Amino acid sequence: MVTFRAFGTVMICMVEQVVFKTRYSQNAKLAMGMLFMGSFIYASADNGFSFMGYMWASLQISSWIIQTFIEKVATVESEQTKTGVAIIRNILSLPVITVMIIGSGETGAMAELVVRRDIWTNVALSSLLGCGLGLSTSALYKSFAPTTIAVANNVGKCVSIVVGCVLFKDHLGALQILGLALSFAGSFLYGEEERKRSRR
């Protein structure tokens, strides 16, 4: 999934340059390349390859790329507040989720959710954090370019891998460590380039 996220970030950067005429320095482009190569190296050590899993990941990343630019336009060019954008997005997602639940035959899981009160706290916490993520993302689009936000999301994914390994005592292989290091380095280089550009 990390590789798909990095590929999606590169695609977002390309769309910004071609469609929105955003100019990035050579160092910023090099940073994007490092980010993608690091993710690719990390994924090359993935022993759990699944065609169906990768197909769904491709669909998810394609949707993410499109949603990134729609939300950027909706947040910046409309009179709607960041809270309004987040609420509208969550409301519009309900019919989609309902169709997917019915289509995948997971209606039984919904019935189990009603019965099992021990997981209500987890569901409520997950929902709360999801809304917080939506609000913070909408706020970020007011001030930053889509590529910058995508790079930040990639850093978050890499950090979650490291934290997950510490918490669950998982071990990373040499290639995975190299891939993560390269991704972090690319993200840092991109951040430095954006900081220099903002000062001009």
Side-chain angles (χ1 to χ4, degrees), residues 1 4 7 51-65:
M1 194 61 197
F4 283 90
F7 178 72
F51 175 79
M52 186 62 68
Y54 273 65
M55 185 189 74
W56 281 110
S58 300
L59 179 62
Q60 194 265 345
I61 292 303
S62 299
S63 302
W64 177 59
I65 293 170

Side-chain angles (χ1 to χ4, degrees), residues 110-147:
M110 295 301 296
E112 184 179 356
L113 175 62
V114 175
V115 175
R116 290 189 55 190
R117 296 188 177 184
D118 57 311
I119 62 174
W120 283 11
T121 302
N122 294 335
V123 173
L125 181 61
S126 177
S127 300
L128 183 64
L129 292 174
C131 288
L133 180 62
L135 288 171
S136 60
T137 301
S138 297
L140 287 171
Y141 279 125
K142 288 281 188 184
S143 305
F144 299 100
T147 300

Side-chain angles (χ1 to χ4, degrees), residues 4 23 40 81 97 129 156 180 183 186:
F4 283 90
R23 297 178 65 86
F40 184 80
T81 64
I97 293 172
L129 292 174
L180 282 176
S183 294

Side-chain angles (χ1 to χ4, degrees), residues 18-40:
V18 174
V19 178
F20 298 97
K21 309 302 180 186
T22 305
R23 297 178 65 86
Y24 286 99
S25 67
Q26 288 299 117
N27 283 342
K29 293 175 183 176
L30 173 64
M32 298 296 293
M34 291 172 62
L35 176 64
F36 179 73
M37 282 304 301
S39 300
F40 184 80

